[in-house]
Amino acid sequence: MQTEFTLAQLADSDTAQSEKILRACVHCGFCTATCPTYVLLGDELDGPRGRIYLLKNMLEKGAAPEADTVKHIDRCLSCLACMTTCPSGVNYMHLVDHGRRWIERHYRRPLGERLLRRLLGAVLSRPGLLRPALLAAALVKHLAPLMPARLRPLLALAPSRVPARSADDRERVFPAEGVRRMRVALLSGCAQRVLMPEINVATIRLLTRHGAEVVVAPGSGCCGALTHHLGQHDTALAFVRANIDAWERARTDSGIDAIVVNASGCGTMVKDYGFLLRDDPAYAEKAARISGRARDIAEVMAELGLRATGPAKGLVVAYHSACSLQHGQKIHREPKELLAAAGFEPVDIPEGHLCCGSAGTYNLLQPELASRLRARKLAHIAQTGAGVVAAGNVGCIAQLSGAGVPVVHTVELLDWATGGPIPPALAASAGAAAR
Ligand code: SF4
Ligand code: SF4
């Protein structure tokens, strides 16, 4: 693709990077058919190729974008299915990330929209704010129909009961059982640790049982992805730097073999820290080192080798391959192999390359499109006849839960098969069926 940036524009590192990405696109349109929003809306501007043109024009112009441009970029899920399809290696992720930052800096959204985005960025990424916000939301959830339209999806997705804070989910070292084979830092995260604390607890049990010492490093927390995808660049980078500092301290204290991430949206972000801080002389080297050590929990467990105990559960598991795992990190085979090794029967979900509509804050900001993608995914899950759905990302689990089939994190099943308790969502569903 031809570009027309000025030399002055290309002096900016982000613009120079985006220009390279744009030039790699040959506008073949192969990516269009696998884009969820194009599949739903059938509009070229709601597909990757159309968005690439919009981003190019916006960045070349170097001015505030039109509302229509913002609308089509906002509708993008950042699911990265287009990157899997693209034969030319176009890094759409870095391009749209740059576009979102540009929009945040140069476009004035309506007041309600601005406040909502600020609220989501501030609250979701800070467990200390999210917990009381969810407790308050649970109290007024039944009043959702009376609330302003923009707030209704927030209340609809808020749980009716907020789980208690887990005693295991705190900053400390969890020793390996038996001989220590590995020492890892676990990203404890933000929203997941409030909404589904059982995931970190199961992850710690699974890792320590297989010989990994687990460090939850003081000072680590949100990976920065939520604010990054809202275009709130400075806030996102503050989270990124805090994590890097925390893990570097843990590394220099006693060594760290890997940074383990059990939410694939966060894993894609941590693996990109090196790129995000490439121009920061104080952090570039450390950030690249952290990204190089970041691993999804499935990668680490594949390396450690799974030791299943007891008879095979024989349960058919519909494996939902989160976009950030399959497209963002190109991890698709390992979780299914681990499930099979643990005695489950993993099955693929038809149209598995398409997003479920969760996508960070997407289901809160684009509720209509998100609910259409959810319904489509649930219909495909029903076709599998599976008794449980497994996914490696908390956003997908929240998005697909509540429709009958229990949805759990893959690590919860692996933990159960290797000596841990039955996942709470599965136990609740079995209890409901028995009543
Ligand atoms: S598939 Fe790749 S090269 Fe083709 S239009 Fe899409 S992004 Fe451009
Ligand atoms: S990231 Fe997903 S929604 Fe966005 S353009 Fe690519 S395929 Fe479409």
Side-chain angles (χ1 to χ4, degrees):
M1 180 180 283
Q2 292 290 317
T3 58
E4 290 171 16
F5 290 102
T6 64
L7 285 177
Q9 285 176 310
L10 292 175
D12 170 64
S13 165
D14 285 340
T15 307
Q17 193 67 35
S18 290
E19 196 244 6
K20 270 194 217 144
I21 298 168
L22 289 164
R23 282 185 174 272
C25 176
V26 295
H27 23 121
C28 61
F30 287 168
C31 50
T32 305
T34 57
C35 171
T37 52
Y38 180 81
V39 169
L40 289 187
L41 301 167
D43 182 338
E44 170 75 13
L45 294 179
D46 284 313
R49 184 171 58 180
R51 291 192 177 112
I52 287 171
Y53 273 110
L54 292 174
L55 288 160
K56 170 184 168 331
N57 291 339
M58 175 178 82
L59 295 172
E60 278 179 349
K61 251 202 237 162
E66 308 283 328
D68 202 51
T69 296
V70 175
K71 178 181 82 178
H72 294 294
I73 306 297
D74 280 353
R75 281 182 184 164
C76 169
L77 295 134
S78 280
C79 70
L80 311 181
C82 46
M83 285 180 63
T84 296
T85 320
C86 176
S88 305
V90 172
N91 193 324
Y92 177 83
M93 177 175 86
H94 287 158
L95 181 64
V96 80
D97 286 349
H98 182 200
R100 292 192 203 281
R101 286 198 294 281
W102 183 272
I103 290 169
E104 187 67 12
R105 279 188 194 143
H106 299 276
Y107 179 72
R108 196 162 174 80
R109 295 177 187 274
L111 180 64
E113 191 78 13
R114 261 184 286 149
L115 290 176
L116 178 62
R117 294 171 73 91
R118 285 282 143 199
L119 181 78
L120 293 177
V123 174
L124 287 177
S125 46
R126 292 176 179 84
L129 294 178
L130 180 59
R131 181 177 297 282
L134 288 176
L135 288 168
L139 291 177
V140 297
K141 201 172 158 65
H142 61 289
L143 300 176
L146 306 175
M147 295 285 178
R150 292 304 271 135
L151 293 181
R152 277 180 225 146
L154 274 68
L155 287 175
L157 279 165
S160 309
R161 199 185 64 78
V162 183
R165 190 165 187 261
S166 162
D168 285 0
D169 181 19
R170 61 185 191 275
E171 292 161 351
R172 57 167 275 199
V173 176
F174 298 85
E177 288 177 21
V179 178
R180 188 178 94 178
R181 300 164 63 199
M182 192 184 269
R183 188 170 192 268
V184 302
L186 174 70
L187 173 77
S188 56
C190 53
Q192 171 176 287
R193 117 197 227 186
V194 178
L195 288 166
M196 295 178 200
E198 63 271 21
I199 296 175
N200 279 352
V201 175
T203 303
I204 292 167
R205 272 196 307 257
L206 183 68
L207 285 167
T208 52
R209 189 180 300 130
H210 286 81
E213 181 169 285
V214 180
V215 183
V216 178
S220 63
C222 174
C223 68
L226 280 170
T227 40
H228 178 60
H229 292 138
L230 287 166
Q232 297 166 7
H233 189 54
D234 294 341
T235 312
L237 288 192
F239 285 122
V240 172
R241 291 191 179 98
N243 280 338
I244 291 172
D245 289 340
W247 292 328
E248 282 290 285
R249 276 194 300 273
R251 186 184 68 84
T252 45
D253 282 352
S254 308
I256 289 289
D257 298 308
I259 315 290
V260 181
V261 188
N262 60 12
S264 58
C266 309
T268 307
M269 177 76 178
V270 178
K271 288 181 177 180
D272 209 36
Y273 278 8
F275 176 82
L276 289 167
L277 288 176
R278 67 196 183 283
D279 295 327
D280 181 336
Y283 277 87
E285 192 186 328
K286 290 185 280 185
R289 186 161 49 231
I290 294 294
S291 287
R293 289 186 186 197
R295 301 273 183 282
D296 183 76
I297 179 68
E299 293 177 284
V300 175
M301 285 313 301
E303 192 180 329
L304 286 170
L306 198 80
R307 292 195 300 260
T309 55
K313 309 284 185 210
L315 194 60
V316 178
V317 178
Y319 175 66
H320 168 65
S321 197
C323 297
S324 40
L325 207 51
Q326 64 166 319
H327 303 306
Q329 299 180 52
K330 308 292 179 227
I331 297 173
H332 187 61
R333 189 175 39 81
E334 292 88 338
K336 290 191 289 181
E337 287 177 354
L338 286 165
L339 285 167
F344 297 100
E345 291 177 31
V347 292
D348 287 326
I349 299 170
E351 208 179 69
H353 63 283
L354 281 196
C355 182
C356 65
S358 166
T361 54
Y362 192 89
N363 51 2
L364 302 171
L365 293 168
Q366 300 283 339
E368 199 265 325
L369 289 175
S371 66
R372 285 172 69 185
L373 288 169
R374 176 179 188 263
R376 195 171 172 120
K377 185 65 72 184
L378 288 172
H380 283 120
I381 287 171
Q383 283 177 27
T384 67
V388 60
V389 180
N393 193 46
V394 61
C396 311
I397 298 171
Q399 173 80 346
L400 297 173
S401 291
V405 186
V407 188
V408 300
H409 196 292
T410 309
V411 292
E412 294 183 83
L413 292 178
L414 300 181
D415 175 45
W416 182 31
T418 57
I422 184 170
L426 207 49
S429 153
R435 278 195 292 275

